[in-house]
Amino acid sequence: MANFLTTESKAELSRVANAIVAPGKGILAADESTGTMGKRFANIGAENNEENRRQYRQLLFTCPEVMNDSISGVILFHETVPACAVGTGMGVTFADYIKKRGIIPGIKVDKGVVPLLGTDGEGTTQGLDGLAERCAQYKKDGVQFAKWRCVLKIGPGCPSALSIMENANVLARYAACDLCVGVFQASGLASLGKYSGGTAGAAGQQSLFVPKHSY
C-alpha cells in the first residue's frame, strides 16, 4: 500500500494516526444520525431540525479548553461538516474550528445498517457506492480521518455465519486497495474501522469479536 503514497502523504497519514491515538486522549463520536438526534430531542421536547442539531453540536465543540487535553479527534456527521460555528467569533466551519483547537476532525462515511435478509434480525452496512467522491469532498472540507461501522448481533445463534461473512466482506471492500489506497490514502484520509457487538454476555464473550471494540 505504501508504494502508492508520496512521501508527503505518508508523513500526513502517520501524523494523523499518531495524533488520534495520543496517550490519555479519546475520540468524541458526534456522528449521530438525524433519526438518533430526533430521539434525543424528543426527551426534552425540542424540534429535530438542522439549526437545533447545529446548536447541540456547537455546545459540544465549544467546551472549555480542558477538552483540548482530553479529546484527540471528533467524528462528524455529514450535515455537520459544512455547518458554521456561529457565535465563536471565528466565522469558520465546525471542521476548521475543531482543527484550530488542535483536534483532528473525522467523518462517518457509512450510510447506516440495513436488515440482512435470511437472518434473525441481523444487519449489514451500506455506503460503499459513491464513497470515493464523498471522501474527496470531505478532504477538501478539512476532514482528516474516516469511520466505518459494522454491527454484529450477539446472542443465541448470533452472529450467524452469513452475518459474519457479509460484514467481513463489507469491511474487506472498505479496506481493499481500490478503496483504502484509491480513496482514503489518495484523498489523504486515515481510515478507522469499527466492529460493535450487540448485547454482551456469555455469547458475547465467546464471540469472534469483542463488543464495542475498535479493530
Side-chain angles (χ1 to χ4, degrees):
M1 251 187 272
N3 293 333
F4 290 87
L5 300 177
T6 64
T7 300
E8 292 76 14
S9 294
K10 291 178 185 178
E12 180 182 7
L13 285 172
S14 178
R15 177 187 62 79
V16 172
N18 281 292
I20 290 174
V21 298
K25 292 188 176 183
I27 297 175
L28 171 62
D31 58 337
E32 301 96 332
S33 67
T34 301
T36 298
M37 291 293 287
K39 294 176 183 178
R40 295 187 175 180
F41 287 159
N43 292 330
I44 58 174
E47 183 180 350
N48 183 21
N49 56 45
E50 185 173 351
E51 176 58 17
N52 282 345
R53 293 191 295 271
R54 188 199 64 75
Q55 290 189 29
Y56 166 77
R57 283 166 171 139
Q58 177 164 313
L59 182 67
L60 296 177
F61 304 155
T62 56
C63 284
E65 291 301 311
V66 67
M67 175 179 174
N68 300 7
D69 300 324
S70 305
I71 301 297
S72 60
V74 174
I75 304 173
L76 302 171
F77 185 61
H78 176 77
E79 75 172 5
T80 314
V81 175
C84 290
V86 178
T88 61
M90 303 179 72
V92 297
T93 64
F94 279 136
D96 286 339
Y97 179 73
I98 290 168
K99 281 197 292 186
K100 288 179 182 294
R101 299 196 62 169
I103 299 171
I104 307 293
I107 182 71
K108 177 174 71 174
V109 294
D110 69 78
K111 292 190 174 181
V113 177
V114 295
L116 179 60
L117 298 180
T119 66
D120 181 19
E122 297 178 280
T124 183
T125 305
Q126 58 185 355
L128 291 171
D129 293 342
L131 185 58
E133 293 77 11
R134 297 201 308 276
C135 286
Q137 184 59 52
Y138 290 142
K139 176 61 178 176
K140 292 179 181 179
D141 292 337
V143 175
Q144 295 178 278
F145 73 94
K147 165 202 167 183
W148 181 281
R149 183 179 67 130
C150 280
V151 177
L152 289 179
K153 180 181 178 181
I154 307 299
C158 294
S160 65
L162 175 58
S163 176
I164 291 174
M165 289 299 295
E166 166 63 18
N167 283 285
N169 178 60
V170 169
L171 282 177
R173 291 178 62 194
Y174 170 69
C177 287
D178 60 331
L179 291 179
C180 192
V181 174
V183 179
F184 297 114
Q185 295 184 354
S187 297
L189 293 181
S191 178
L192 173 67
K194 180 179 180 182
Y195 241 118
S196 59
T199 304
Q205 294 170 5
Q206 296 174 12
S207 172
L208 293 174
F209 303 97
V210 180
K212 303 301 182 185
H213 183 76
S214 295
Y215 288 84

